Amino acid sequence: MTELQPLDAGFIELEDADRRISLGIAAVAILAGQPPARAEFAAMLAERVAANQRLRQRIRRAPLDLTVPVWEEDPSFDLAHHIRWAALPAPADEKTLREFVAGELVERLDRDHPMWECVVVERLADARWALIVKAHHSLVDGVSGVSLFERLCDAPESVQRPHALPAEDAAGGPGWLDRVVTGLRLPLDVPRYAVGMMRSLIPVVAAFVSVPEASSLNGPIGRQRRYTIARASLAEIREIGRGLDATVNDVVLAAVTSAYRGVLLGRGEQPTGKTVRILVPVSMRAADAKSLLDNRVSAVLSLLPLHLDDPVERLATIHQRMARHKSGGAAQAETSLLALAGRLPFAPVAWGMRLWSHLPQRGVTAVATNIPGPRRTLSVLGREVLELIPAIPIAMRLRTGIAILSYGDQLTFGITGDYDSTPDLDRIADGIHTAIADLLAAARARTQHPAG
């Protein structure tokens, strides 16, 4: 058995604190042709699952959370628990699929078994079908979730699929002697870690103390969800970056900024430079840890310049702010906190997280995560994956969440919203499309007519 990492366990605590939310992350694949027969699909999935020990493990918790939850083999593992088949009603178009995905984001994964599942949507318009791979946030982050989906796909012809991946918990958790030693060292280690964290924590603490101005983007959420999609050409995003001296991530955040500005204006609210503070997860995963199923992320918090009317000026401001955040070490703050949390007794950490989740959090307004996806064309049992679309949960007072995933030459925005408070969720998708078009025109104009 292996202990959960602090962040992995934290997602369990967060979900337990609010029975209205589900913290399942999904990848929605649109595939060409007809789906495989059920027996063929089950045989393929059984082979893939046999190569990954974590997919056969469930979470076991101690009474009163006195010790850290652990991964243990599911003694009654049955692949049938993890496969569902569904068919969309006519016309089985994208709108119908989006409504289906919104419903999937609501459903909690079964804690009695490994927390993942595959949903085969047998019929889509234009001779296509869909495969939804959903896993709990305690099992995957964005990068490892995409890696999980890739491993369920066909291996490239030039690569022989291994019979089994290296055991992720071969080393096991710390023994009783290690725990005793750690406990004895806490009076020395905690002050040392605290001193080391001070500089990196200053930006995070300042962000939460400086509460954004109130807006309809932040507030209580219900159980139901809305879901919509925006698409962009990755080649055009890169062209914008080259023409306007920005990174791909800067351009993406500029498009999101423009979209939120449009939403607020459409609601009759006047956006300012202190209206939206966005949480941007930053992967801390090393290249050799891509296949491990866990969470290895930090985060950057930044106010979005919604008050700026000029899209190019908005992009330049975002570029400057993100560069400042990265150079200031803000992304390392969470890593320091997790290192400390891993050395503390689990019970007060778990209870503290539950208490924190009930506080009226207003320091963050939205979340946007940019996930690098597969560059090669994927297939499942010989059926080509035409599109790969991300879907993420929302929790606490965050009424919207945006996941951005690249696949081939396409960048796809999966946008989740609270059902009751975001009836205009499509306005975010429309705003992203408009913003990218405006920035592309500006980049091309600058390239054709450079200053001076």
Side-chain angles (χ1 to χ4, degrees):
M1 293 184 292
T2 304
E3 292 181 350
L4 272 71
Q5 298 297 317
L7 185 54
D8 302 340
F11 287 118
I12 294 291
E13 299 304 323
L14 182 59
E15 190 178 69
D16 281 348
D18 189 344
R19 293 292 176 181
R20 297 168 302 171
I21 67 170
S22 167
L23 290 181
I25 300 176
V28 183
I30 310 298
L31 296 104
Q34 298 298 316
R38 298 192 178 198
E40 182 185 14
F41 182 81
M44 177 277 292
L45 193 59
E47 177 190 355
R48 309 292 196 262
V49 171
N52 194 315
Q53 184 180 30
R54 182 68 79 234
L55 296 180
R56 304 189 304 276
Q57 293 179 326
R58 65 183 183 181
I59 292 175
R60 190 183 76 188
R61 303 177 65 171
L64 302 178
D65 287 322
L66 293 178
T67 59
V68 181
V70 297
W71 297 106
E72 67 171 9
E73 290 290 324
D74 180 1
S76 57
F77 179 79
D78 183 349
L79 191 64
H81 282 304
H82 304 276
I83 306 176
R84 289 193 291 115
W85 294 76
L88 300 181
D93 56 3
E94 182 171 297
K95 182 176 184 296
T96 314
L97 177 64
R98 288 192 280 111
E99 291 172 351
F100 183 82
V101 172
E104 286 297 310
L105 288 171
V106 169
E107 297 301 322
R108 288 191 167 197
L109 290 156
D110 187 355
R111 296 277 186 92
D112 292 333
H113 301 287
M115 290 193 292
W116 64 272
E117 65 179 3
C118 290
V119 183
V120 179
V121 181
E122 296 183 283
R123 184 188 67 187
L124 287 179
D126 303 320
R128 300 170 301 158
W129 59 288
L131 174 61
I132 303 174
V133 179
K134 181 179 173 184
H136 196 273
H137 213 331
S138 62
L139 183 65
V140 296
D141 57 20
V143 173
S144 59
V146 171
S147 176
L148 170 61
F149 178 82
E150 286 190 78
R151 281 181 283 164
L152 298 182
C153 293
D154 303 334
E157 293 183 2
S158 59
V159 177
Q160 185 177 0
R161 186 180 295 278
H163 293 293
L165 294 173
E168 296 173 49
D169 49 2
W176 68 269
L177 182 59
D178 295 321
R179 294 174 185 272
V180 171
V181 172
T182 297
L184 292 174
R185 287 189 57 84
L186 278 176
L188 299 175
D189 284 346
V190 170
R192 179 167 58 86
Y193 272 85
V195 171
M197 285 191 298
M198 287 305 295
R199 286 188 178 181
S200 60
L201 285 178
I202 289 174
V204 176
V205 173
F208 279 95
V209 171
S210 176
V211 177
E213 296 176 1
S215 79
S216 57
L217 295 173
N218 187 291
I221 63 175
R223 186 170 184 271
Q224 290 182 283
R225 300 288 174 260
R226 296 180 189 268
Y227 179 75
T228 192
I229 301 167
R231 297 175 175 85
S233 162
L234 188 54
E236 291 182 349
I237 296 291
R238 288 171 175 156
E239 183 180 351
I240 292 169
R242 289 192 301 269
L244 300 178
D245 300 319
T247 68
V248 167
N249 199 53
D250 296 335
V251 176
V252 166
L253 283 179
V256 169
T257 301
S258 180
Y260 278 124
R261 173 181 165 84
V263 166
L264 291 176
L265 290 173
R267 295 177 181 179
E269 301 177 42
Q270 186 59 46
T272 73
K274 297 183 178 181
T275 302
V276 174
R277 176 177 288 117
I278 198 162
L279 176 71
V280 183
V282 178
S283 177
M284 307 297 286
R285 187 177 298 273
D288 59 356
K290 182 180 178 182
S291 64
L292 299 184
L293 299 185
D294 57 13
N295 286 268
R296 302 191 183 198
V297 295
S298 184
V300 167
L301 290 163
S302 181
L303 283 167
L304 298 182
L306 270 69
H307 62 298
L308 299 177
D309 184 61
D310 179 29
V312 176
E313 187 180 358
R314 283 199 298 266
L315 175 58
T317 302
I318 287 171
H319 175 71
Q320 293 166 5
R321 290 181 180 178
M322 294 305 293
R324 187 163 59 246
H325 282 305
K326 292 173 184 176
S327 64
Q332 280 69 48
E334 183 179 305
T335 304
S336 300
L337 283 171
L338 294 179
L340 177 60
R343 291 174 171 264
L344 295 174
F346 183 70
V349 173
W351 301 336
M353 178 163 285
R354 291 177 199 167
L355 175 62
W356 172 72
S357 68
H358 287 292
L359 297 176
Q361 186 280 128
R362 294 184 176 85
V364 182
T365 314
V367 59
T369 177
N370 191 0
I371 307 160
R375 297 181 180 180
R376 67 180 179 95
T377 299
L378 303 176
S379 63
V380 176
L381 290 170
R383 284 90 168 162
E384 181 182 344
V385 176
L386 304 173
E387 275 196 283
L388 196 54
I389 306 168
I392 60 171
I394 54 174
M396 301 176 70
R397 294 173 61 89
L398 302 185
R399 289 177 166 176
T400 58
I402 304 176
I404 306 101
L405 176 63
S406 60
Y407 174 52
D409 193 38
Q410 180 167 293
L411 206 61
T412 305
F413 299 71
I415 308 165
T416 306
D418 174 58
Y419 188 89
D420 292 322
S421 61
T422 59
D424 53 354
L425 191 68
D426 284 337
R427 189 185 289 269
I428 295 180
D430 294 340
I432 289 171
H433 291 146
T434 300
I436 291 172
D438 291 343
L439 288 170
L440 183 61
R444 288 176 175 173
R446 179 174 293 185
T447 301
Q448 294 169 4
H449 307 285

